[in-house]
Short mmCIF file of all heavy atoms in Angstrom, two decimals:
data_model
loop_
_atom_site.label_atom_id
_atom_site.label_comp_id
_atom_site.label_asym_id
_atom_site.label_seq_id
_atom_site.Cartn_x
_atom_site.Cartn_y
_atom_site.Cartn_z
N ASP A 66 0.88 -1.17 0.00
CA ASP A 66 0.00 0.00 0.00
C ASP A 66 0.92 1.21 0.00
O ASP A 66 1.60 1.48 0.99
CB ASP A 66 -0.90 -0.02 1.24
CG ASP A 66 -1.92 1.10 1.23
OD1 ASP A 66 -1.78 2.05 0.44
OD2 ASP A 66 -2.86 1.01 2.04
N TYR A 67 0.97 1.93 -1.11
CA TYR A 67 1.91 3.04 -1.24
C TYR A 67 1.71 4.11 -0.16
O TYR A 67 2.67 4.70 0.31
CB TYR A 67 1.79 3.71 -2.60
CG TYR A 67 2.33 2.91 -3.76
CD1 TYR A 67 2.15 3.37 -5.06
CD2 TYR A 67 3.02 1.73 -3.60
CE1 TYR A 67 2.63 2.67 -6.15
CE2 TYR A 67 3.51 1.02 -4.68
CZ TYR A 67 3.30 1.50 -5.96
OH TYR A 67 3.78 0.80 -7.04
N GLN A 68 0.48 4.42 0.21
CA GLN A 68 0.20 5.45 1.22
C GLN A 68 1.04 6.70 0.98
O GLN A 68 1.74 7.18 1.86
CB GLN A 68 0.41 4.90 2.63
CG GLN A 68 -0.52 3.76 2.96
CD GLN A 68 -0.43 3.34 4.40
OE1 GLN A 68 -0.34 4.17 5.29
NE2 GLN A 68 -0.46 2.04 4.63
N LEU A 69 0.96 7.21 -0.23
CA LEU A 69 1.74 8.38 -0.62
C LEU A 69 1.28 9.60 0.18
O LEU A 69 0.10 9.78 0.44
CB LEU A 69 1.56 8.66 -2.11
CG LEU A 69 1.98 7.52 -3.04
CD1 LEU A 69 1.58 7.84 -4.48
CD2 LEU A 69 3.46 7.25 -2.94
N SER A 70 2.24 10.44 0.55
CA SER A 70 1.89 11.67 1.27
C SER A 70 2.24 12.87 0.40
O SER A 70 3.19 12.84 -0.38
CB SER A 70 2.64 11.74 2.61
OG SER A 70 4.03 11.72 2.40
N VAL A 71 1.43 13.88 0.51
CA VAL A 71 1.64 15.12 -0.24
C VAL A 71 1.66 16.27 0.77
O VAL A 71 0.91 16.26 1.74
CB VAL A 71 0.57 15.34 -1.32
CG1 VAL A 71 0.71 14.33 -2.43
CG2 VAL A 71 -0.83 15.29 -0.74
N GLU A 72 2.49 17.24 0.52
CA GLU A 72 2.65 18.35 1.46
C GLU A 72 1.62 19.46 1.26
O GLU A 72 1.26 20.15 2.20
CB GLU A 72 4.06 18.93 1.36
CG GLU A 72 5.12 17.95 1.84
CD GLU A 72 6.51 18.55 1.82
OE1 GLU A 72 6.63 19.78 1.85
OE2 GLU A 72 7.47 17.76 1.79
N ASP A 73 1.15 19.63 0.03
CA ASP A 73 0.28 20.77 -0.26
C ASP A 73 -1.20 20.45 -0.15
O ASP A 73 -2.03 21.20 -0.62
CB ASP A 73 0.58 21.30 -1.67
CG ASP A 73 2.00 21.84 -1.77
OD1 ASP A 73 2.52 22.31 -0.74
OD2 ASP A 73 2.57 21.80 -2.87
N GLY A 74 -1.55 19.34 0.46
CA GLY A 74 -2.96 18.98 0.58
C GLY A 74 -3.43 18.17 -0.61
O GLY A 74 -2.83 18.18 -1.68
N LYS A 75 -4.52 17.48 -0.41
CA LYS A 75 -5.05 16.59 -1.45
C LYS A 75 -6.05 17.34 -2.32
O LYS A 75 -7.23 17.42 -2.01
CB LYS A 75 -5.71 15.37 -0.81
CG LYS A 75 -4.74 14.50 -0.06
CD LYS A 75 -5.47 13.35 0.59
CE LYS A 75 -4.54 12.57 1.48
NZ LYS A 75 -5.23 11.58 2.27
N THR A 76 -5.56 17.88 -3.41
CA THR A 76 -6.44 18.57 -4.35
C THR A 76 -7.13 17.54 -5.23
O THR A 76 -6.70 16.38 -5.30
CB THR A 76 -5.63 19.53 -5.24
OG1 THR A 76 -4.73 18.75 -6.05
CG2 THR A 76 -4.85 20.55 -4.41
N SER A 77 -8.17 17.95 -5.92
CA SER A 77 -8.87 17.02 -6.81
C SER A 77 -7.94 16.57 -7.94
O SER A 77 -8.01 15.43 -8.39
CB SER A 77 -10.15 17.64 -7.37
OG SER A 77 -9.87 18.83 -8.06
N ALA A 78 -7.02 17.45 -8.37
CA ALA A 78 -6.07 17.07 -9.42
C ALA A 78 -5.12 15.97 -8.92
O ALA A 78 -4.82 15.03 -9.65
CB ALA A 78 -5.27 18.29 -9.88
N LEU A 79 -4.65 16.09 -7.67
CA LEU A 79 -3.77 15.07 -7.10
C LEU A 79 -4.52 13.75 -6.89
O LEU A 79 -3.99 12.68 -7.14
CB LEU A 79 -3.17 15.53 -5.78
CG LEU A 79 -1.94 16.40 -5.87
CD1 LEU A 79 -1.51 16.87 -4.49
CD2 LEU A 79 -0.80 15.67 -6.55
N LYS A 80 -5.76 13.85 -6.43
CA LYS A 80 -6.56 12.64 -6.24
C LYS A 80 -6.76 11.92 -7.57
O LYS A 80 -6.71 10.70 -7.63
CB LYS A 80 -7.90 12.99 -5.61
CG LYS A 80 -7.79 13.37 -4.16
CD LYS A 80 -9.14 13.74 -3.59
CE LYS A 80 -9.02 14.22 -2.16
NZ LYS A 80 -10.30 14.64 -1.61
N LYS A 81 -6.95 12.69 -8.63
CA LYS A 81 -7.11 12.08 -9.97
C LYS A 81 -5.79 11.47 -10.43
O LYS A 81 -5.76 10.37 -10.97
CB LYS A 81 -7.60 13.13 -10.96
CG LYS A 81 -7.91 12.58 -12.32
CD LYS A 81 -8.49 13.65 -13.23
CE LYS A 81 -8.81 13.06 -14.59
NZ LYS A 81 -9.39 14.06 -15.49
N LEU A 82 -4.69 12.18 -10.21
CA LEU A 82 -3.37 11.70 -10.62
C LEU A 82 -3.00 10.40 -9.91
O LEU A 82 -2.41 9.51 -10.50
CB LEU A 82 -2.31 12.77 -10.33
CG LEU A 82 -0.87 12.43 -10.69
CD1 LEU A 82 -0.71 12.26 -12.19
CD2 LEU A 82 0.07 13.52 -10.18
N TYR A 83 -3.36 10.30 -8.62
CA TYR A 83 -3.02 9.13 -7.82
C TYR A 83 -4.23 8.23 -7.56
O TYR A 83 -4.32 7.57 -6.52
CB TYR A 83 -2.37 9.56 -6.51
CG TYR A 83 -1.03 10.21 -6.72
CD1 TYR A 83 -0.85 11.57 -6.52
CD2 TYR A 83 0.06 9.47 -7.17
CE1 TYR A 83 0.38 12.17 -6.73
CE2 TYR A 83 1.28 10.06 -7.40
CZ TYR A 83 1.44 11.41 -7.17
OH TYR A 83 2.65 12.00 -7.39
N ALA A 84 -5.14 8.17 -8.52
CA ALA A 84 -6.31 7.30 -8.39
C ALA A 84 -5.86 5.84 -8.37
O ALA A 84 -4.90 5.45 -9.03
CB ALA A 84 -7.26 7.53 -9.56
N CYS A 85 -6.55 5.04 -7.56
CA CYS A 85 -6.23 3.61 -7.46
C CYS A 85 -7.25 2.82 -8.24
O CYS A 85 -8.45 3.07 -8.17
CB CYS A 85 -6.25 3.17 -6.00
SG CYS A 85 -5.94 1.40 -5.82
N ARG A 86 -6.76 1.86 -8.97
CA ARG A 86 -7.62 0.96 -9.74
C ARG A 86 -7.22 -0.49 -9.47
O ARG A 86 -7.19 -1.32 -10.35
CB ARG A 86 -7.50 1.28 -11.22
CG ARG A 86 -7.99 2.68 -11.57
CD ARG A 86 -7.73 3.03 -13.02
NE ARG A 86 -8.04 4.43 -13.27
CZ ARG A 86 -7.19 5.44 -13.09
NH1 ARG A 86 -5.99 5.22 -12.64
NH2 ARG A 86 -7.55 6.67 -13.34
N CYS A 87 -6.90 -0.77 -8.19
CA CYS A 87 -6.38 -2.09 -7.84
C CYS A 87 -7.44 -3.19 -7.95
O CYS A 87 -7.10 -4.36 -8.08
CB CYS A 87 -5.76 -2.08 -6.45
SG CYS A 87 -6.92 -1.96 -5.07
N GLY A 88 -8.71 -2.82 -7.89
CA GLY A 88 -9.76 -3.82 -8.02
C GLY A 88 -10.08 -4.57 -6.75
O GLY A 88 -10.94 -5.45 -6.74
N SER A 89 -9.42 -4.25 -5.66
CA SER A 89 -9.68 -4.91 -4.38
C SER A 89 -11.07 -4.53 -3.88
O SER A 89 -11.53 -3.41 -4.10
CB SER A 89 -8.62 -4.45 -3.36
OG SER A 89 -9.04 -4.71 -2.05
N GLY A 90 -11.71 -5.45 -3.20
CA GLY A 90 -13.00 -5.15 -2.59
C GLY A 90 -12.89 -4.06 -1.54
O GLY A 90 -13.88 -3.41 -1.21
N ALA A 91 -11.69 -3.84 -1.01
CA ALA A 91 -11.45 -2.81 0.00
C ALA A 91 -10.77 -1.58 -0.60
O ALA A 91 -10.23 -0.75 0.14
CB ALA A 91 -10.58 -3.39 1.12
N CYS A 92 -10.81 -1.45 -1.93
CA CYS A 92 -10.14 -0.31 -2.58
C CYS A 92 -10.72 1.00 -2.09
O CYS A 92 -11.92 1.20 -2.07
CB CYS A 92 -10.28 -0.42 -4.10
SG CYS A 92 -9.43 0.91 -4.99
N ARG A 93 -9.83 1.92 -1.69
CA ARG A 93 -10.27 3.24 -1.20
C ARG A 93 -10.23 4.28 -2.31
O ARG A 93 -10.53 5.45 -2.09
CB ARG A 93 -9.45 3.66 0.01
CG ARG A 93 -7.99 3.85 -0.22
CD ARG A 93 -7.28 4.25 1.08
NE ARG A 93 -5.89 4.50 0.81
CZ ARG A 93 -4.95 3.57 0.83
NH1 ARG A 93 -5.26 2.34 1.13
NH2 ARG A 93 -3.70 3.89 0.56
N GLY A 94 -9.82 3.88 -3.52
CA GLY A 94 -9.85 4.76 -4.67
C GLY A 94 -8.67 5.69 -4.84
O GLY A 94 -8.64 6.49 -5.76
N THR A 95 -7.67 5.57 -3.97
CA THR A 95 -6.50 6.44 -4.06
C THR A 95 -5.26 5.72 -3.54
O THR A 95 -5.36 4.85 -2.68
CB THR A 95 -6.72 7.75 -3.27
OG1 THR A 95 -5.58 8.59 -3.45
CG2 THR A 95 -6.93 7.51 -1.79
N MET A 96 -4.11 6.09 -4.10
CA MET A 96 -2.84 5.59 -3.59
C MET A 96 -2.29 6.52 -2.51
O MET A 96 -1.26 6.25 -1.91
CB MET A 96 -1.82 5.46 -4.73
CG MET A 96 -2.17 4.36 -5.71
SD MET A 96 -0.92 4.13 -6.98
CE MET A 96 -1.36 5.43 -8.12
N LEU A 97 -3.00 7.64 -2.25
CA LEU A 97 -2.58 8.58 -1.22
C LEU A 97 -2.89 8.03 0.16
O LEU A 97 -3.82 7.24 0.32
CB LEU A 97 -3.29 9.92 -1.42
CG LEU A 97 -2.97 10.66 -2.73
CD1 LEU A 97 -3.90 11.85 -2.89
CD2 LEU A 97 -1.53 11.08 -2.76
#
């Protein structure tokens, strides 16, 4: 689980850039 951290806050652009498509039933939709 990458659990990436960003310093400037989670903008919608960052959420889109780091979207998760792992397909897990527990997918939270982000690598952040």
